[in-house]
Amino acid sequence: MSEKWIEHAKTATLVTLVTISLVLTGFLWFSSPGYQTNPPFTKYDLTYIYSGTKYNDRAAHQLASPYQVIVHANNKISWLLPEGNTYARLTQLLQKASFDSFTTVAPTADMWKTLFTQAPGAELVFPRDISVQYADAFFDASLLQKYPLNGLDSISRIWFFYNPASKESFVWFISAQDQQIVQAKVDLGDKHLEDEIARSSMTKSPPLTAVFADGKAPWEQKNPSGHAFSRFFYLPTSSLPMNEWSFKLTLFDINEMKKWLIKDPSVEPFVTNKNEDLYMNNNEFLTYNKKGNFMSYSQTPDDTEPGTSNLYTDLAHINNFVQRHHGWTGNYLLDDVRSNDNNQYSFRLLVKGYPVYWSANVPINPDQIQLQTNNNEVIKYYRSVYILGSPDRQRTLSLPGKAELLQSLADKKISLSTVEQIYPGYQADGIAGKQAVLKPVWIVITTSGKRMFISSP
């Protein structure tokens, strides 16, 4: 056979081998598992429990925001409520304030009168007296090492004001419990407090008047030295119109929550009884109460050296934990903090700028989300699986004004000297038919911690 034919034979053989190789490769390709259609973890794709992002993009300090801002301008008193644009702008400005020259002050009668009737000012009002750590969690500036502020047991009000005489801005940290006021100078950068107050006072609000627990203004006291002053509240001079709302209720899927909370989301529930499912994975436990439609999650804290934490760092960990699954299903603000071996935090739902209190006979309701932290991690998490949807009806009611409200308290034999805070809000009636009816009420918190409601006549 000639050399030429040998080369042709080699070429033919090579082509044949290549063809066979391509056929086998194609066969293996098309008969192999479709990896592109089954990426890792497809079985456990995570779905947020709530589609809204508004409250799941907030910074941790916003959870410690005040429930009201009381604005003093041109001898007029008004309020700003959460969810309003003016409230957001003013609280953001004050949150970034810098402080200097902390000192204890004993206001004279003239100072008190100027503050209430002349000086432009803004008071940050919380649902109850707060700690210095609580205030520190809200402000950018660190307050924990500021003497004498860090010596206060509690803070009743935080009052920013502009002094026209000195043309300086100040803040008073007022403690009714300690009968002390700590003053600091305020720097707002390129902003001017008096200008911001003037802008904020243009927001629509019912006219308010100051009410003093002992019946007398501080400048009317026999001994107005500043060493003794009563608590004070702001109430509308006439009846307060508020809408009653009816909200549809939806439920998030507990199985979706399980995927976020349990490290092995494939675990199946144990049916402990006909009303509860229990998911367990090593040191993690998730219980779903089907009758009450609430859940509780817990995990055993890591057995490691304790980390450094304070209220702000706890809020940061909580915020990150809840935001991961879009768990802020409404405008929840910090309501209460209890410290023992573990720090317990309670967050309250606000609707239309007003706090909500549930009246249903269920241990855990949509008005609160509760968490515990230990060593820089969340170890307990309690919440309802109900979410307020869109309102489907409303009507306008009127809450009692100042005179009627004070008379109602007197009829109930409640002395103002025993009251810590008064503010308007909503009392939610049950969940019958998956509806929540929010009725306007006055919320009265006593110094002993007791809470009561006063509704429309």
Side-chain angles (χ1 to χ4, degrees), residues 64 171 181 192 231 306 318:
V171 62
I181 299 173
H192 300 282
R231 293 181 183 270
I318 287 171

Side-chain angles (χ1 to χ4, degrees), residues 54-203:
K54 179 178 180 180
Y55 304 112
N56 289 290
D57 289 335
R58 296 189 298 187
H61 74 263
Q62 291 177 281
L63 296 172
S65 296
Y67 281 36
Q68 293 179 346
V69 177
I70 302 296
V71 176
H72 299 258
N74 302 318
N75 202 23
K76 183 184 75 171
I77 306 173
S78 58
W79 64 34
L80 303 176
L81 301 178
E83 300 183 30
N85 292 332
T86 308
Y87 167 96
R89 187 185 69 246
L90 186 57
T91 54
Q92 183 179 26
L93 174 70
L94 299 179
Q95 187 268 335
K96 296 182 181 299
S98 298
F99 305 112
D100 191 19
S101 303
F102 287 82
T103 184
T104 301
V105 295
T108 63
D110 286 343
M111 290 173 66
W112 277 116
K113 191 170 183 178
T114 298
L115 205 62
F116 274 95
T117 63
Q118 298 177 32
E123 296 179 60
L124 308 186
V125 182
F126 298 86
R128 51 179 54 81
D129 289 2
I130 64 172
S131 65
V132 176
Q133 277 210 25
Y134 193 129
D136 175 78
F138 174 71
F139 291 108
D140 261 3
S142 176
L143 302 178
L144 297 181
Q145 305 302 321
K146 301 299 184 182
Y147 178 84
L149 180 63
N150 56 7
L152 296 181
D153 290 324
S154 65
I155 298 171
S156 309
R157 292 173 181 274
I158 302 175
W159 193 331
F160 289 83
F161 64 94
Y162 175 73
N163 187 331
S166 65
K167 297 184 179 180
E168 293 178 303
S169 296
F170 297 91
V171 62
W172 280 3
F173 298 90
I174 301 173
S175 175
Q177 177 185 344
D178 297 331
Q179 286 290 289
Q180 287 189 24
I181 299 173
V182 174
Q183 175 179 284
K185 288 185 178 181
V186 174
D187 183 1
L188 298 176
D190 60 351
K191 302 294 184 181
H192 300 282
L193 181 62
E194 67 276 22
D195 295 338
E196 298 301 324
I197 296 298
R199 290 177 61 190
S200 300
S201 67
M202 304 300 292
T203 301

Side-chain angles (χ1 to χ4, degrees), residues 379-394:
I379 60 169
K380 291 187 179 180
Y381 180 29
Y382 307 96
R383 67 173 301 148
S384 171
V385 301
Y386 280 116
I387 301 173
L388 266 66
S390 56
D392 59 0
R393 65 181 176 86
Q394 68 183 76

Side-chain angles (χ1 to χ4, degrees), residues 240-247 351-352 354-359 388 393-400 423-430 435-443 452-457:
L240 175 66
M242 280 181 64
N243 285 331
E244 176 188 272
W245 299 93
S246 175
F247 282 87
V351 171
K352 309 297 181 182
Y354 297 99
V356 178
Y357 296 80
W358 225 260
S359 58
L388 266 66
R393 65 181 176 86
Q394 68 183 76
R395 61 172 179 156
T396 302
L397 301 176
S398 293
L399 285 179
Y423 47 85
Y426 286 113
Q427 187 174 24
D429 261 357
Q435 293 280 328
V437 179
L438 274 57
K439 298 181 177 180
V441 290
W442 283 108
I443 296 126
M452 64 193 71
F453 306 103
I454 298 175
S455 57
S456 301

